[in-house]
Every structure is written in structure tokens, then in C-alpha cells.
Amino acid sequence: MNKFLAVLRHRWFDRGDARRLVPNDMAERLARRVAASESRHEGQVRLCVETALPLSYLLRLSRHNGMAALTRQRALHWFGQLGIWDTERNNGVLIYLLLAEHRIEFVADRAINAHVDAAQWQAMVDRLAGELRNGHIEGGLTQALEEVSALLVEHFPAEADTLRPNELSDAVVRV
């Protein structure tokens, strides 16, 4: 990949692009869906839509460190930055979109990852990518959230009559 073209592409976008793709009303509906999801299981889910990679990431672009690797690194950064790695049961999941590259990453903490193999995560990425390609942003994110929720309900169902604190914000991160 040509580093110069990648830098231009990423500088072309601005933070407003994430807000245009996921406007406030959609972000609020998605946050309510995250909260509803978390009432059914003991996991934590975050949605993050990032417009473009910071220049510091793009400067590391090379033959050996391609865009897929950089996108994964950035998703891992957000996983840590948002505290998803630090949930009590180690069963948080990040659904990450990188707009400039049309890339998607699901990052799951070790407890849920022990139950879900890479092929299952990739199938969810592929379904979300298909929805996004067809312009179904909210529908695609809702479907991805429901699929993640189903896995969390299966492996970490909510215990009846147990009050669980919401460990992480339900708000969609748009940067």
C-alpha cells in the first residue's frame, strides 16, 4: 500500500464524518440497545466509530505492517482506552469501525474469547460489512450488537434478581 495515498485518504476525513454517519439520534438509539443488551447478560459492549487513523499509526504503515494490522492495533488501543479489558468478568466486547478504510474489528476480552472462535467473529464482521456496504448503518450495527449479545447471553447469562452495575458507558464513541 502506498503510504502517501493512505495518509491523504486519512487526512481527507474529519471528526464530523463519524457524526454524519452516526448522527446523534442514531447514537442514542444504539446506546439504548446496548443498555437493553446488557440487561440480558453479564458482559459489557461498546461501539466505536473512528473516522481515520492518527498520523502516528499511518507512519508505521509498511509492507510488513499493513492496514489490516494497523486497524487491529487501533481497535486494541480503543479496547484499552475505553476500559473494556478491565471489566469484572473479562467478557467485554468492542465493535470498532474505521471509516477511512471501511474496516471492522471485533475485539473480545479473554473470557468471551475462550468460547468464540475466530471464524465466528469473522462471520459477524462479514455480515456487518455487507450491511454497511448496502448503506444499512444502524441496521448493521444493531445486528452486530444482537449477535454479540446472543453470544454473551449464551455464555454469561444475567442471573435473576441480581443487581449488576453498568461498568462501562453505553454511549457510542464517535471520533
Side-chain angles (χ1 to χ4, degrees), residues 84-118:
I84 302 167
W85 63 273
D86 198 26
T87 60
E88 183 178 341
R89 306 248 351 222
N90 299 311
N91 58 4
V93 178
L94 171 67
I95 300 170
Y96 173 82
L97 306 179
L98 178 59
L99 299 181
E101 294 296 327
H102 304 283
R103 292 194 172 273
I104 302 162
E105 288 286 338
F106 283 59
V107 181
D109 209 343
R110 59 191 170 272
I112 186 63
N113 223 20
H115 297 285
V116 182
D117 65 30

mmCIF file of all heavy atoms in Angstrom, residues 84-118:
data_model
loop_
_atom_site.group_PDB
_atom_site.id
_atom_site.type_symbol
_atom_site.label_atom_id
_atom_site.label_comp_id
_atom_site.label_asym_id
_atom_site.label_seq_id
_atom_site.Cartn_x
_atom_site.Cartn_y
_atom_site.Cartn_z
ATOM 1 N N ILE A 84 -12.456 -1.559 28.435
ATOM 2 C CA ILE A 84 -13.190 -2.800 28.174
ATOM 3 C C ILE A 84 -12.415 -4.005 28.704
ATOM 4 O O ILE A 84 -13.007 -4.968 29.173
ATOM 5 C CB ILE A 84 -13.499 -2.942 26.661
ATOM 6 C CG1 ILE A 84 -14.301 -1.737 26.182
ATOM 7 C CG2 ILE A 84 -14.263 -4.231 26.376
ATOM 8 C CD1 ILE A 84 -14.392 -1.592 24.682
ATOM 9 N N TRP A 85 -11.113 -3.925 28.676
ATOM 10 C CA TRP A 85 -10.253 -5.011 29.166
ATOM 11 C C TRP A 85 -10.351 -5.170 30.680
ATOM 12 O O TRP A 85 -9.937 -6.189 31.226
ATOM 13 C CB TRP A 85 -8.796 -4.738 28.784
ATOM 14 C CG TRP A 85 -8.291 -3.480 29.444
ATOM 15 C CD1 TRP A 85 -8.401 -2.206 28.956
ATOM 16 C CD2 TRP A 85 -7.674 -3.364 30.703
ATOM 17 N NE1 TRP A 85 -7.884 -1.304 29.835
ATOM 18 C CE2 TRP A 85 -7.418 -1.997 30.934
ATOM 19 C CE3 TRP A 85 -7.294 -4.278 31.678
ATOM 20 C CZ2 TRP A 85 -6.818 -1.517 32.091
ATOM 21 C CZ3 TRP A 85 -6.684 -3.790 32.824
ATOM 22 C CH2 TRP A 85 -6.455 -2.431 33.021
ATOM 23 N N ASP A 86 -10.917 -4.183 31.367
ATOM 24 C CA ASP A 86 -10.895 -4.155 32.820
ATOM 25 C C ASP A 86 -12.247 -4.466 33.455
ATOM 26 O O ASP A 86 -12.497 -4.100 34.597
ATOM 27 C CB ASP A 86 -10.408 -2.773 33.286
ATOM 28 C CG ASP A 86 -9.940 -2.767 34.725
ATOM 29 O OD1 ASP A 86 -9.522 -3.831 35.216
ATOM 30 O OD2 ASP A 86 -10.021 -1.701 35.361
ATOM 31 N N THR A 87 -13.125 -5.122 32.735
ATOM 32 C CA THR A 87 -14.424 -5.452 33.331
ATOM 33 C C THR A 87 -14.253 -6.616 34.304
ATOM 34 O O THR A 87 -13.325 -7.425 34.183
ATOM 35 C CB THR A 87 -15.461 -5.817 32.256
ATOM 36 O OG1 THR A 87 -15.001 -6.940 31.518
ATOM 37 C CG2 THR A 87 -15.711 -4.628 31.321
ATOM 38 N N GLU A 88 -15.143 -6.697 35.259
ATOM 39 C CA GLU A 88 -15.024 -7.674 36.342
ATOM 40 C C GLU A 88 -14.931 -9.113 35.834
ATOM 41 O O GLU A 88 -14.133 -9.902 36.322
ATOM 42 C CB GLU A 88 -16.205 -7.545 37.297
ATOM 43 C CG GLU A 88 -16.117 -8.466 38.487
ATOM 44 C CD GLU A 88 -17.274 -8.282 39.445
ATOM 45 O OE1 GLU A 88 -17.940 -7.241 39.403
ATOM 46 O OE2 GLU A 88 -17.502 -9.214 40.235
ATOM 47 N N ARG A 89 -15.745 -9.454 34.852
ATOM 48 C CA ARG A 89 -15.783 -10.842 34.368
ATOM 49 C C ARG A 89 -14.920 -11.059 33.126
ATOM 50 O O ARG A 89 -14.934 -12.139 32.549
ATOM 51 C CB ARG A 89 -17.230 -11.243 34.063
ATOM 52 C CG ARG A 89 -18.154 -11.015 35.235
ATOM 53 C CD ARG A 89 -18.752 -12.163 35.929
ATOM 54 N NE ARG A 89 -18.617 -13.470 35.391
ATOM 55 C CZ ARG A 89 -19.591 -14.352 35.354
ATOM 56 N NH1 ARG A 89 -20.777 -14.035 35.777
ATOM 57 N NH2 ARG A 89 -19.376 -15.551 34.900
ATOM 58 N N ASN A 90 -14.191 -10.037 32.681
ATOM 59 C CA ASN A 90 -13.333 -10.144 31.490
ATOM 60 C C ASN A 90 -14.102 -10.635 30.262
ATOM 61 O O ASN A 90 -13.624 -11.475 29.503
ATOM 62 C CB ASN A 90 -12.135 -11.066 31.758
ATOM 63 C CG ASN A 90 -11.268 -10.544 32.868
ATOM 64 O OD1 ASN A 90 -10.901 -9.377 32.884
ATOM 65 N ND2 ASN A 90 -10.958 -11.395 33.824
ATOM 66 N N ASN A 91 -15.302 -10.085 30.101
ATOM 67 C CA ASN A 91 -16.138 -10.523 28.984
ATOM 68 C C ASN A 91 -16.695 -9.336 28.184
ATOM 69 O O ASN A 91 -17.793 -9.397 27.657
ATOM 70 C CB ASN A 91 -17.265 -11.431 29.466
ATOM 71 C CG ASN A 91 -18.145 -10.767 30.507
ATOM 72 O OD1 ASN A 91 -17.979 -9.606 30.843
ATOM 73 N ND2 ASN A 91 -19.100 -11.520 31.021
ATOM 74 N N GLY A 92 -15.903 -8.280 28.082
ATOM 75 C CA GLY A 92 -16.308 -7.138 27.279
ATOM 76 C C GLY A 92 -15.997 -7.347 25.809
ATOM 77 O O GLY A 92 -15.095 -8.104 25.446
ATOM 78 N N VAL A 93 -16.753 -6.643 24.965
ATOM 79 C CA VAL A 93 -16.564 -6.732 23.511
ATOM 80 C C VAL A 93 -16.631 -5.326 22.921
ATOM 81 O O VAL A 93 -17.527 -4.549 23.260
ATOM 82 C CB VAL A 93 -17.641 -7.620 22.845
ATOM 83 C CG1 VAL A 93 -17.458 -7.654 21.326
ATOM 84 C CG2 VAL A 93 -17.619 -9.024 23.417
ATOM 85 N N LEU A 94 -15.688 -5.026 22.040
ATOM 86 C CA LEU A 94 -15.680 -3.777 21.291
ATOM 87 C C LEU A 94 -16.027 -4.082 19.843
ATOM 88 O O LEU A 94 -15.421 -4.967 19.228
ATOM 89 C CB LEU A 94 -14.293 -3.121 21.354
ATOM 90 C CG LEU A 94 -14.085 -1.908 20.444
ATOM 91 C CD1 LEU A 94 -14.944 -0.728 20.889
ATOM 92 C CD2 LEU A 94 -12.613 -1.527 20.391
ATOM 93 N N ILE A 95 -16.974 -3.329 19.306
ATOM 94 C CA ILE A 95 -17.282 -3.362 17.878
ATOM 95 C C ILE A 95 -16.723 -2.051 17.328
ATOM 96 O O ILE A 95 -17.176 -0.968 17.693
ATOM 97 C CB ILE A 95 -18.797 -3.468 17.620
ATOM 98 C CG1 ILE A 95 -19.360 -4.744 18.258
ATOM 99 C CG2 ILE A 95 -19.087 -3.422 16.113
ATOM 100 C CD1 ILE A 95 -20.875 -4.820 18.260
ATOM 101 N N TYR A 96 -15.694 -2.153 16.471
ATOM 102 C CA TYR A 96 -14.935 -0.992 16.009
ATOM 103 C C TYR A 96 -15.046 -0.848 14.494
ATOM 104 O O TYR A 96 -14.849 -1.816 13.756
ATOM 105 C CB TYR A 96 -13.457 -1.173 16.410
ATOM 106 C CG TYR A 96 -12.524 -0.137 15.860
ATOM 107 C CD1 TYR A 96 -12.395 1.104 16.483
ATOM 108 C CD2 TYR A 96 -11.744 -0.386 14.738
ATOM 109 C CE1 TYR A 96 -11.522 2.064 15.989
ATOM 110 C CE2 TYR A 96 -10.871 0.566 14.238
ATOM 111 C CZ TYR A 96 -10.763 1.788 14.867
ATOM 112 O OH TYR A 96 -9.902 2.735 14.380
ATOM 113 N N LEU A 97 -15.370 0.375 14.039
ATOM 114 C CA LEU A 97 -15.415 0.687 12.615
ATOM 115 C C LEU A 97 -14.385 1.766 12.320
ATOM 116 O O LEU A 97 -14.336 2.787 13.014
ATOM 117 C CB LEU A 97 -16.781 1.226 12.205
ATOM 118 C CG LEU A 97 -18.019 0.419 12.540
ATOM 119 C CD1 LEU A 97 -19.261 1.158 12.060
ATOM 120 C CD2 LEU A 97 -17.949 -0.950 11.929
ATOM 121 N N LEU A 98 -13.590 1.577 11.280
ATOM 122 C CA LEU A 98 -12.647 2.592 10.807
ATOM 123 C C LEU A 98 -13.134 3.054 9.436
ATOM 124 O O LEU A 98 -13.015 2.333 8.439
ATOM 125 C CB LEU A 98 -11.223 2.025 10.716
ATOM 126 C CG LEU A 98 -10.159 2.979 10.186
ATOM 127 C CD1 LEU A 98 -10.054 4.234 11.039
ATOM 128 C CD2 LEU A 98 -8.819 2.264 10.082
ATOM 129 N N LEU A 99 -13.710 4.249 9.407
ATOM 130 C CA LEU A 99 -14.376 4.728 8.197
ATOM 131 C C LEU A 99 -13.443 4.907 7.010
ATOM 132 O O LEU A 99 -13.790 4.536 5.893
ATOM 133 C CB LEU A 99 -15.086 6.050 8.488
ATOM 134 C CG LEU A 99 -16.173 6.002 9.554
ATOM 135 C CD1 LEU A 99 -16.821 7.362 9.721
ATOM 136 C CD2 LEU A 99 -17.200 4.941 9.229
ATOM 137 N N ALA A 100 -12.268 5.489 7.217
ATOM 138 C CA ALA A 100 -11.368 5.784 6.105
ATOM 139 C C ALA A 100 -10.973 4.531 5.329
ATOM 140 O O ALA A 100 -10.709 4.595 4.135
ATOM 141 C CB ALA A 100 -10.112 6.499 6.604
ATOM 142 N N GLU A 101 -10.945 3.407 6.005
ATOM 143 C CA GLU A 101 -10.534 2.153 5.366
ATOM 144 C C GLU A 101 -11.686 1.169 5.178
ATOM 145 O O GLU A 101 -11.478 0.075 4.664
ATOM 146 C CB GLU A 101 -9.433 1.483 6.195
ATOM 147 C CG GLU A 101 -8.153 2.260 6.235
ATOM 148 C CD GLU A 101 -7.495 2.394 4.860
ATOM 149 O OE1 GLU A 101 -7.611 1.464 4.035
ATOM 150 O OE2 GLU A 101 -6.860 3.439 4.625
ATOM 151 N N HIS A 102 -12.863 1.531 5.633
ATOM 152 C CA HIS A 102 -14.010 0.618 5.580
ATOM 153 C C HIS A 102 -13.652 -0.713 6.231
ATOM 154 O O HIS A 102 -13.917 -1.788 5.687
ATOM 155 C CB HIS A 102 -14.494 0.394 4.145
ATOM 156 C CG HIS A 102 -14.837 1.664 3.445
ATOM 157 N ND1 HIS A 102 -15.991 2.357 3.679
ATOM 158 C CD2 HIS A 102 -14.139 2.389 2.535
ATOM 159 C CE1 HIS A 102 -16.011 3.448 2.918
ATOM 160 N NE2 HIS A 102 -14.894 3.493 2.220
ATOM 161 N N ARG A 103 -13.026 -0.635 7.397
ATOM 162 C CA ARG A 103 -12.600 -1.834 8.122
ATOM 163 C C ARG A 103 -13.381 -1.960 9.419
ATOM 164 O O ARG A 103 -13.774 -0.974 10.021
ATOM 165 C CB ARG A 103 -11.110 -1.797 8.415
ATOM 166 C CG ARG A 103 -10.270 -1.928 7.167
ATOM 167 C CD ARG A 103 -8.824 -2.243 7.516
ATOM 168 N NE ARG A 103 -8.070 -2.555 6.344
ATOM 169 C CZ ARG A 103 -7.980 -3.774 5.801
ATOM 170 N NH1 ARG A 103 -8.584 -4.785 6.348
ATOM 171 N NH2 ARG A 103 -7.259 -3.969 4.717
ATOM 172 N N ILE A 104 -13.540 -3.223 9.833
ATOM 173 C CA ILE A 104 -14.292 -3.564 11.037
ATOM 174 C C ILE A 104 -13.454 -4.507 11.877
ATOM 175 O O ILE A 104 -12.833 -5.429 11.339
ATOM 176 C CB ILE A 104 -15.614 -4.269 10.659
ATOM 177 C CG1 ILE A 104 -16.462 -3.372 9.753
ATOM 178 C CG2 ILE A 104 -16.378 -4.705 11.907
ATOM 179 C CD1 ILE A 104 -17.545 -4.115 9.005
ATOM 180 N N GLU A 105 -13.477 -4.287 13.170
ATOM 181 C CA GLU A 105 -12.818 -5.204 14.104
ATOM 182 C C GLU A 105 -13.757 -5.472 15.272
ATOM 183 O O GLU A 105 -14.433 -4.564 15.750
ATOM 184 C CB GLU A 105 -11.518 -4.593 14.657
ATOM 185 C CG GLU A 105 -10.388 -4.511 13.678
ATOM 186 C CD GLU A 105 -9.734 -5.836 13.373
ATOM 187 O OE1 GLU A 105 -9.844 -6.778 14.188
ATOM 188 O OE2 GLU A 105 -9.104 -5.942 12.301
ATOM 189 N N PHE A 106 -13.788 -6.710 15.692
ATOM 190 C CA PHE A 106 -14.429 -7.087 16.944
ATOM 191 C C PHE A 106 -13.284 -7.475 17.869
ATOM 192 O O PHE A 106 -12.480 -8.338 17.523
ATOM 193 C CB PHE A 106 -15.338 -8.302 16.766
ATOM 194 C CG PHE A 106 -16.661 -7.999 16.109
ATOM 195 C CD1 PHE A 106 -16.743 -7.449 14.845
ATOM 196 C CD2 PHE A 106 -17.843 -8.286 16.777
ATOM 197 C CE1 PHE A 106 -17.951 -7.188 14.243
ATOM 198 C CE2 PHE A 106 -19.070 -8.038 16.178
ATOM 199 C CZ PHE A 106 -19.124 -7.479 14.907
ATOM 200 N N VAL A 107 -13.202 -6.828 19.018
ATOM 201 C CA VAL A 107 -12.171 -7.169 19.997
ATOM 202 C C VAL A 107 -12.901 -7.667 21.238
ATOM 203 O O VAL A 107 -13.732 -6.957 21.800
ATOM 204 C CB VAL A 107 -11.275 -5.961 20.345
ATOM 205 C CG1 VAL A 107 -10.203 -6.376 21.347
ATOM 206 C CG2 VAL A 107 -10.647 -5.376 19.087
ATOM 207 N N ALA A 108 -12.587 -8.888 21.635
ATOM 208 C CA ALA A 108 -13.265 -9.509 22.771
ATOM 209 C C ALA A 108 -12.255 -9.833 23.860
ATOM 210 O O ALA A 108 -11.135 -10.264 23.577
ATOM 211 C CB ALA A 108 -13.973 -10.783 22.325
ATOM 212 N N ASP A 109 -12.672 -9.626 25.099
ATOM 213 C CA ASP A 109 -11.817 -9.956 26.228
ATOM 214 C C ASP A 109 -11.709 -11.473 26.354
ATOM 215 O O ASP A 109 -12.473 -12.231 25.758
ATOM 216 C CB ASP A 109 -12.372 -9.337 27.511
ATOM 217 C CG ASP A 109 -11.285 -9.014 28.528
ATOM 218 O OD1 ASP A 109 -10.159 -9.536 28.403
ATOM 219 O OD2 ASP A 109 -11.577 -8.239 29.458
ATOM 220 N N ARG A 110 -10.764 -11.914 27.179
ATOM 221 C CA ARG A 110 -10.380 -13.323 27.218
ATOM 222 C C ARG A 110 -11.499 -14.275 27.631
ATOM 223 O O ARG A 110 -11.565 -15.388 27.123
ATOM 224 C CB ARG A 110 -9.154 -13.512 28.094
ATOM 225 C CG ARG A 110 -9.314 -13.068 29.529
ATOM 226 C CD ARG A 110 -7.956 -13.050 30.251
ATOM 227 N NE ARG A 110 -8.042 -12.421 31.536
ATOM 228 C CZ ARG A 110 -7.894 -11.126 31.754
ATOM 229 N NH1 ARG A 110 -7.663 -10.319 30.756
ATOM 230 N NH2 ARG A 110 -7.979 -10.641 32.972
ATOM 231 N N ALA A 111 -12.391 -13.878 28.514
ATOM 232 C CA ALA A 111 -13.424 -14.818 28.962
ATOM 233 C C ALA A 111 -14.401 -15.173 27.841
ATOM 234 O O ALA A 111 -14.734 -16.338 27.658
ATOM 235 C CB ALA A 111 -14.168 -14.267 30.173
ATOM 236 N N ILE A 112 -14.857 -14.170 27.089
ATOM 237 C CA ILE A 112 -15.777 -14.476 25.980
ATOM 238 C C ILE A 112 -15.005 -15.063 24.803
ATOM 239 O O ILE A 112 -15.495 -15.944 24.106
ATOM 240 C CB ILE A 112 -16.621 -13.243 25.564
ATOM 241 C CG1 ILE A 112 -17.667 -13.614 24.512
ATOM 242 C CG2 ILE A 112 -15.762 -12.093 25.104
ATOM 243 C CD1 ILE A 112 -18.701 -14.603 24.948
ATOM 244 N N ASN A 113 -13.778 -14.617 24.612
ATOM 245 C CA ASN A 113 -12.978 -15.139 23.506
ATOM 246 C C ASN A 113 -12.675 -16.634 23.678
ATOM 247 O O ASN A 113 -12.463 -17.336 22.699
ATOM 248 C CB ASN A 113 -11.684 -14.339 23.368
ATOM 249 C CG ASN A 113 -11.363 -14.022 21.933
ATOM 250 O OD1 ASN A 113 -12.224 -14.051 21.069
ATOM 251 N ND2 ASN A 113 -10.118 -13.722 21.695
ATOM 252 N N ALA A 114 -12.672 -17.104 24.912
ATOM 253 C CA ALA A 114 -12.445 -18.528 25.163
ATOM 254 C C ALA A 114 -13.595 -19.382 24.625
ATOM 255 O O ALA A 114 -13.431 -20.576 24.379
ATOM 256 C CB ALA A 114 -12.267 -18.779 26.659
ATOM 257 N N HIS A 115 -14.758 -18.770 24.424
ATOM 258 C CA HIS A 115 -15.939 -19.505 23.959
ATOM 259 C C HIS A 115 -16.250 -19.296 22.479
ATOM 260 O O HIS A 115 -17.088 -20.001 21.927
ATOM 261 C CB HIS A 115 -17.176 -19.070 24.758
ATOM 262 C CG HIS A 115 -17.080 -19.374 26.218
ATOM 263 N ND1 HIS A 115 -17.228 -20.641 26.731
ATOM 264 C CD2 HIS A 115 -16.838 -18.560 27.276
ATOM 265 C CE1 HIS A 115 -17.095 -20.600 28.041
ATOM 266 N NE2 HIS A 115 -16.854 -19.350 28.396
ATOM 267 N N VAL A 116 -15.624 -18.310 21.863
ATOM 268 C CA VAL A 116 -15.960 -17.942 20.487
ATOM 269 C C VAL A 116 -14.690 -18.023 19.642
ATOM 270 O O VAL A 116 -13.684 -17.403 19.975
ATOM 271 C CB VAL A 116 -16.548 -16.511 20.424
ATOM 272 C CG1 VAL A 116 -16.945 -16.162 19.001
ATOM 273 C CG2 VAL A 116 -17.732 -16.372 21.372
ATOM 274 N N ASP A 117 -14.750 -18.776 18.565
ATOM 275 C CA ASP A 117 -13.538 -18.908 17.744
ATOM 276 C C ASP A 117 -13.448 -17.799 16.696
ATOM 277 O O ASP A 117 -14.407 -17.062 16.451
ATOM 278 C CB ASP A 117 -13.443 -20.297 17.107
ATOM 279 C CG ASP A 117 -14.546 -20.593 16.104
ATOM 280 O OD1 ASP A 117 -15.051 -19.649 15.453
ATOM 281 O OD2 ASP A 117 -14.891 -21.772 15.949
ATOM 282 N N ALA A 118 -12.284 -17.705 16.099
ATOM 283 C CA ALA A 118 -12.006 -16.641 15.133
ATOM 284 C C ALA A 118 -12.970 -16.672 13.955
ATOM 285 O O ALA A 118 -13.360 -15.614 13.436
ATOM 286 C CB ALA A 118 -10.565 -16.752 14.643
#
